[in-house]
Amino acid sequence: MTAVIQEFINEYGELLLDGTWETLVMTIVSTLVAYVIGIPVGVLLTISGPGALRPNRVLHTVLGWIVNIGRSIPFIILLVAMIPLTRLLMGTSLGVAGAIPPLIVSAAPFVGRMVEQSLAEVDDGLIEAAQSFGASTWQVVTKVLLFESLPSLVRGAAITFINLFGYSAMAGTVGAGGLGDIAIRYGYQRYQYDVMVVSVVLCVILVQIFQSLGNVLARRIDHHSR
């Protein structure tokens, strides 16, 4: 048994390590950029809503439509539809570089809505108290809304990471690389199910690790904020 495992590691170990690294790069970079886009979108949705800090019906409606449309497009369709734009931006539609733009576009609307929901959980009394002390809209957003919702935002980031992790595996169908690509090429096309099973197990392990890290970090932030 040990000899079989050693032989498998010698033959596929480097391949699986490279696939794991590619998957992590795709997912982490896409998550970070999606949050750079999604946090302002979520904030604008929150403060422009009816009865909010800066009500703006037009802005709220337009942003809401954009977010809803973005979330309703299946990722595999978006992946194919964005190939020309991805090639223009990244110089290729293959590999890690080719997967990152569609991953960002698919995640940003989701993040925007997650951020909006997190900010909506903040007690209105805290917002009113900050305004009574003369806080500006920017101060209310940064020192009350974002600060108080930080544990929820961290949990949302873990959920986003897990969703994008699954999308990165799906991107393997068009040559994006990573564990998904390995599972498809070796498990589906070559019937090497041992490689596919190990790829799936690695995906499960990585998802559990990041989910646990997100929960631990959120609890620590929540504990220190009290």
Side-chain angles (χ1 to χ4, degrees), residues 13-170:
E14 186 176 353
L15 174 71
L16 290 167
L17 283 175
D18 290 341
T20 301
W21 172 250
E22 290 173 351
T23 297
L24 288 174
V25 170
M26 281 189 287
T27 310
I28 292 173
V29 171
S30 301
T31 301
L32 291 175
V33 178
Y35 262 82
V36 170
I37 299 171
I39 287 178
V41 171
V43 168
L44 287 174
L45 283 169
T46 300
I47 67 174
S48 65
L53 292 172
R54 289 290 183 269
N56 188 317
R57 183 176 179 181
V58 174
L59 176 62
H60 188 77
T61 301
V62 171
L63 276 179
W65 273 99
I66 293 173
V67 167
N68 290 337
I69 292 172
R71 292 179 62 196
S72 66
I73 302 175
F75 178 71
I76 191 65
I77 295 176
L78 179 67
L79 185 66
V80 175
M82 281 191 61
I83 286 177
L85 179 60
T86 301
R87 284 177 179 163
L88 179 64
L89 293 175
M90 310 300 289
T92 179
S93 61
L94 302 175
V96 174
I100 288 176
L103 285 171
I104 293 170
V105 171
S106 69
F110 177 77
V111 171
R113 193 62 78 186
M114 290 276 288
V115 171
E116 181 190 19
Q117 292 174 356
S118 295
L119 299 183
E121 296 173 4
V122 177
D123 188 357
D124 289 339
L126 294 174
I127 299 174
E128 293 173 0
Q131 289 178 312
S132 68
F133 283 104
S136 64
T137 301
W138 173 257
Q139 290 174 323
V140 171
V141 168
T142 55
K143 296 183 179 181
V144 179
L145 289 176
L146 291 177
F147 179 78
E148 293 295 330
S149 63
L150 195 54
S152 179
L153 291 173
V154 171
R155 292 188 182 95
I159 294 172
T160 303
F161 177 89
I162 292 170
N163 285 341
L164 285 179
F165 197 96
Y167 287 165
S168 72
M170 195 183 302

Side-chain angles (χ1 to χ4, degrees), residues 193-215:
Y193 296 114
D194 53 348
V195 180
M196 182 180 69
V197 169
V198 173
S199 298
V200 172
V201 169
L202 286 173
C203 287
V204 172
I205 292 172
L206 289 172
V207 165
Q208 292 302 317
I209 288 173
F210 276 90
Q211 180 67 67
S212 299
L213 286 175
N215 290 336

